Amino acid sequence: MGLPIDVMAVFQEATDVEAARSVPLCVSVLLDDTAPADLTAFVRSSFASASPQARVSINYFSDDNVAFDPRSDMAVIAAGRTPAVGSIAARMRQEGIPTLVVTTLPEAVKAASAAQGHPIPEGDLAAPTVEDGSVIMLSQPIRITKADAGKDIASPFEGCDGSFSFEPIGLGADASCELARAMGEWVVAAFKSKRLAFAQAFEFVRRPLSLESVRSTSLQNAGVGFVAFIPGADLPIMTLNQAKMVLQVAAAYGQPLTAERVKELVAVVGGGFACRALARQAVGAVPALGWAIKAAIGYAGTSAMGHAAIEYFEHGGNMAGLAGVIDEAREAAVSAADRTPAGRAVKDAAATAKRRARAAVAERAKETLAQAPSRAARFARGVAGAASSAIGSASSRAGR
C-alpha cells in the first residue's frame, strides 16, 4: 500500500529549504555610543554569525552621521539617548531597508525621536519593560507610578509628571530571552522569502520562525479537516503539510536534510493513519459532526508534531532521532480519540474520549519522556486534552 503523501513534493520542499543555506544576507548593526553596555553586548552577540552567507557590518554613532551598507537586507539600531536615533531609522527606511530599534530606554528613545520629528513606527521598537515587578516584553512601554517605586527592579527617576520611569532596564536572563524573542518575531514578520535564511544565520530567529510554521500549518490542517467532504481525501493534504512543517523546523535549526533522513521522515509522517481512522470513525458515527472532530484532530496532531520537533532540536537533538519523537507526539494527541468505538453516539463518544485521553496520554508520556525532552511530552499531553475538549464542545452543541 502506498503512502498517502506526495513523496516528490516532500523532496522538492527539502531541496528548497536546503537552498536557503546559500541565500546571501547583509545586516547593518548600528550601535549608539550612549547605549548601555549590556544592550550593546546583547545586540552584538545576537548578530554574530558563523554562516558564510551572512555579512554583518558594525558601526558606532553619536549623531546622525552614521555609516551603513546601502545593500543591507535589514538594519538594527541599539539605541541609547542620542536624539538622532529616530532620524537615522527614518533614513534607513527611506533607503528601503527594514529597520528595528532595540533599546532598554524605551521612553527616552520614543520621546527623543518624536521630538525630532521622526517617531519610530509602532512595531519597529523592541524593549523590555517592567510590570508588577517582572520583566516582560511589550510593544508599548509603560509608566510606573510612585506606588511601585519601592520595588527593587531598576533605578527609578522621577518624571516631570510625577511618575517614575525605570530606565535603563537591566538585561537579566528573562529580559534577554524575551528581547531575543521579540527580535526574532520582528524578523519573521518582516521577511517572507528570506526568513529561513535568517534563522539559519542567527539563532534568535529559529524558535519564532518554527512556532510560526507550526501555527500556520496546524490551522491549515484544521481547515482541511473542516472542508474535506470526500472520505480519505484530506489525509494526503494533511500529511504533506505536516512533512513540510517538520522540514521547515529542522532547517531552521540548521539540520542537514540528507536523502536518507527525508525518506525516514516521509515514512513516519505518511504512515500516520490514526488521523484518517478517527476521521472515518467520526463521520461514520455522526456525519453531521464529523467535520468538527476531523478539524480538531487535524489541528492537535499537527501542533503536537511541530512542537515536539522544536523542543527536540532545542535540547540538542538531530535528524537521526526526529522521526521517533514526532511519531510519539502525534500518537499522544490522537490515541485516546482513536480508541473510541465507532458505533456510539457523539455525546457518549466524547465522554469516553475524555476519560481515555487522560489514561492514554499518561501512558504515552512515560514512553515519550525516555525518547524526547520532557517539554515535548508535556506539550503532547496538552494538545491531546485540547483535542478531547474540542470533541466535547461539538457533542455539547449536538445535544442541545
Side-chain angles (χ1 to χ4, degrees):
M1 182 178 184
L3 291 175
I5 187 171
D6 187 341
V7 177
M8 292 308 298
V10 177
F11 274 98
Q12 182 59 54
E13 180 71 14
T15 301
D16 292 342
V17 297
E18 278 292 291
R21 299 185 195 278
S22 62
V23 174
L25 295 175
C26 181
V27 178
S28 288
V29 177
L30 309 179
L31 305 175
D32 188 342
D33 279 336
T34 67
D38 58 353
L39 176 66
T40 298
F42 173 82
V43 172
R44 288 186 67 122
S45 63
S46 296
F47 284 90
S49 176
S51 171
Q53 301 301 320
R55 184 174 68 252
V56 179
S57 63
I58 299 177
N59 292 284
Y60 285 83
F61 67 92
S62 58
D63 53 33
D64 59 2
N65 294 314
V66 60
F68 63 90
D69 190 335
R71 298 167 297 176
S72 296
D73 293 290
M74 73 163 287
V76 57
I77 301 175
R81 298 186 182 278
T82 299
V85 167
S87 62
I88 293 172
R91 189 163 83 247
M92 302 291 284
R93 291 193 300 273
Q94 289 175 355
E95 294 286 336
I97 303 172
T99 302
L100 174 65
V101 178
V102 182
T103 186
T104 52
L105 298 131
E107 294 187 19
V109 170
K110 292 186 72 174
S113 299
Q116 295 292 319
H118 299 285
I120 298 172
E122 183 178 356
D124 283 352
L125 186 144
T129 189
V130 180
E131 183 178 40
D132 297 331
S134 301
V135 178
I136 62 171
M137 284 301 308
L138 293 178
S139 59
Q140 298 294 329
I142 62 171
R143 304 292 296 183
I144 298 191
T145 66
K146 289 183 177 180
D148 298 311
K151 295 178 180 177
D152 185 20
I153 45 182
S155 298
F157 63 87
E158 187 169 3
C160 60
D161 60 354
S163 63
F164 279 83
S165 179
F166 296 82
E167 296 185 352
I169 300 166
L171 280 179
D174 289 344
S176 296
C177 181
E178 291 301 313
L179 188 53
R181 175 186 61 78
M183 290 166 52
E185 289 175 350
W186 184 89
V187 170
V188 171
F191 300 95
K192 300 302 181 184
S193 61
K194 289 189 174 184
R195 55 189 185 179
L196 182 55
F198 271 101
Q200 293 174 340
F202 305 110
E203 184 176 352
F204 69 91
V205 185
R206 294 173 182 174
R207 186 176 182 86
L209 175 57
S210 298
L211 289 173
E212 169 60 25
S213 178
V214 172
R215 280 192 296 267
S216 61
T217 306
S218 298
L219 288 172
Q220 286 175 1
N221 277 358
V224 170
F226 181 86
V227 302
F229 298 105
I230 302 175
D234 50 353
L235 185 61
I237 301 173
M238 283 189 177
T239 51
L240 180 58
N241 287 344
Q242 289 169 346
K244 288 182 176 182
M245 172 192 70
V246 175
L247 288 173
Q248 286 275 343
V249 173
Y253 282 90
Q255 295 294 315
L257 303 178
T258 64
E260 284 303 312
R261 294 307 179 199
V262 174
K263 289 178 182 177
E264 182 181 354
L265 181 65
V266 167
V268 172
V269 175
F273 295 106
C275 290
R276 180 174 67 176
L278 176 62
R280 286 182 173 177
Q281 176 179 306
V283 173
V286 181
L289 287 179
W291 61 267
I293 301 177
K294 289 166 63 179
I297 297 304
Y299 181 93
T302 303
S303 185
M305 293 167 62
H307 280 84
I310 292 172
E311 301 302 338
Y312 174 72
F313 287 132
E314 288 203 342
H315 285 79
N318 55 39
M319 286 294 289
L322 175 62
V325 170
I326 62 174
D327 190 36
E328 290 287 335
R330 177 187 57 213
E331 289 300 315
V334 302
S335 60
D338 191 42
R339 295 176 189 176
T340 303
R344 297 187 180 183
V346 169
K347 186 174 182 179
D348 292 336
T352 302
K354 287 181 180 180
R355 289 195 301 271
R356 292 183 175 178
R358 297 187 182 94
V361 174
E363 178 184 352
R364 182 68 64 180
K366 292 179 181 178
E367 301 173 8
T368 307
L369 280 169
Q371 302 178 34
S374 60
R375 291 177 63 190
R378 289 198 300 271
F379 185 85
R381 185 167 60 246
V383 294
S388 295
S389 296
I391 296 170
S393 298
S395 65
S396 297
R397 289 194 299 271
R400 295 193 188 107

